[in-house]
Amino acid sequence: MKNKFITFLLLLFVITNSSAQKKETCIIKTSLGDITIELYPKKAPITVANFLKYVDAHLYENTTFFRSVTLNNQPKDSVKIEVIQGGEVDSTKVFAAIPLERTSKTGLLHKNGTISMARDNPDSATCSFFICINDQPSLDFGGKRNKDGQGFAAFGKVTKGMDVVRKIQQLAPNNEQYFKPPVLILSITRK
């Protein structure tokens, strides 16, 4: 009887823990290959819901990765980062900006492969997102990349396809951040 009770408790813990860690998976199909991302709706619910709203409405179809920030193409920035940025949607179809889910609250940091929302001011993120290449702590809350120190809203990570992310990054000209032509995002879909 004691063994059955312990087994029951263990099973209950596994079920509870796995539902608390629920993740969403999406595939970013690009002209250079596929990138699989895992999203964390329990930790960053607003940001994940926003991203999935664009995914489900098929608004990322035929958008692009249009920008790559490398160590060589940001001469005026004292704090250097490495990211690729994409997902600009037709301005007539952009949803309202979302509140910034700070890394100090979510615990999701800008590590190698992290996907995060691009923004200008806090609470201004809409559709554009970026993927980190190498760890980028200056993009976390308190980081020095933005003068406001609020960081960016990390909401998932690349689980497969970092080779594609690096391929995209390497296409950026040494002194320019914007691709000519940009790298096509064929679609982003839930897996």
Side-chain angles (χ1 to χ4, degrees):
M1 185 68 162
K2 185 178 178 184
N3 284 344
K4 285 182 181 179
F5 181 71
I6 291 172
T7 303
F8 172 75
L9 285 178
L10 189 58
L11 182 61
L12 183 62
F13 173 77
V14 169
I15 291 169
T16 304
N17 197 34
S18 65
S19 67
Q21 299 299 319
K22 185 178 183 260
K23 301 168 187 156
E24 291 278 351
T25 302
C26 291
I27 309 292
I28 303 173
K29 290 193 171 295
T30 78
S31 55
L32 295 178
D34 294 353
I35 303 164
T36 303
I37 56 173
E38 187 174 84
L39 310 179
Y40 303 113
K42 293 286 185 186
K43 292 185 175 188
I46 296 167
T47 310
V48 169
N50 176 69
F51 182 79
L52 290 174
K53 191 162 46 167
Y54 286 96
V55 168
D56 293 343
H58 307 284
L59 293 174
Y60 287 128
E61 287 180 8
N62 299 311
T63 59
T64 62
F65 278 107
F66 57 88
R67 180 175 179 229
S68 176
V69 184
T70 69
L71 296 177
N72 298 326
N73 66 9
Q74 48 190 321
K76 295 179 183 172
D77 293 316
S78 59
V79 178
K80 310 270 188 218
I81 60 169
E82 292 183 276
V83 301
I84 61 170
Q85 184 177 348
E88 280 295 313
V89 168
D90 178 334
S91 63
T92 64
K93 297 178 181 176
V94 171
F95 300 119
I98 58 170
L100 174 61
E101 291 182 300
R102 292 158 178 80
T103 58
S104 58
K105 302 287 187 212
T106 66
L108 299 171
L109 303 178
H110 289 86
K111 302 284 189 182
N112 186 45
T114 294
I115 184 167
S116 190
M117 293 307 293
R119 68 170 182 88
D120 291 322
N121 300 311
D123 306 327
S124 68
T126 55
C127 55
S128 185
F129 60 89
F130 62 88
I131 298 173
C132 294
I133 294 133
N134 300 316
D135 293 354
Q136 304 299 324
S138 65
L139 300 175
D140 295 332
F141 179 82
K144 304 287 185 212
R145 180 61 181 198
N146 259 9
K147 290 179 181 163
D148 61 39
Q150 298 301 299
F152 294 81
F155 64 99
K157 72 176 182 179
V158 173
T159 57
K160 188 176 176 188
M162 273 307 285
D163 57 325
V164 176
V165 172
R166 290 184 186 281
K167 256 193 255 183
I168 294 169
Q169 181 200 30
Q170 292 167 359
L171 293 176
N174 278 340
N175 58 355
E176 180 65 45
Q177 292 183 10
Y178 294 89
F179 299 125
K180 294 171 189 146
V183 176
L184 187 62
I185 296 174
L186 304 168
S187 66
I188 303 179
T189 55
R190 294 187 196 227
K191 186 173 178 186

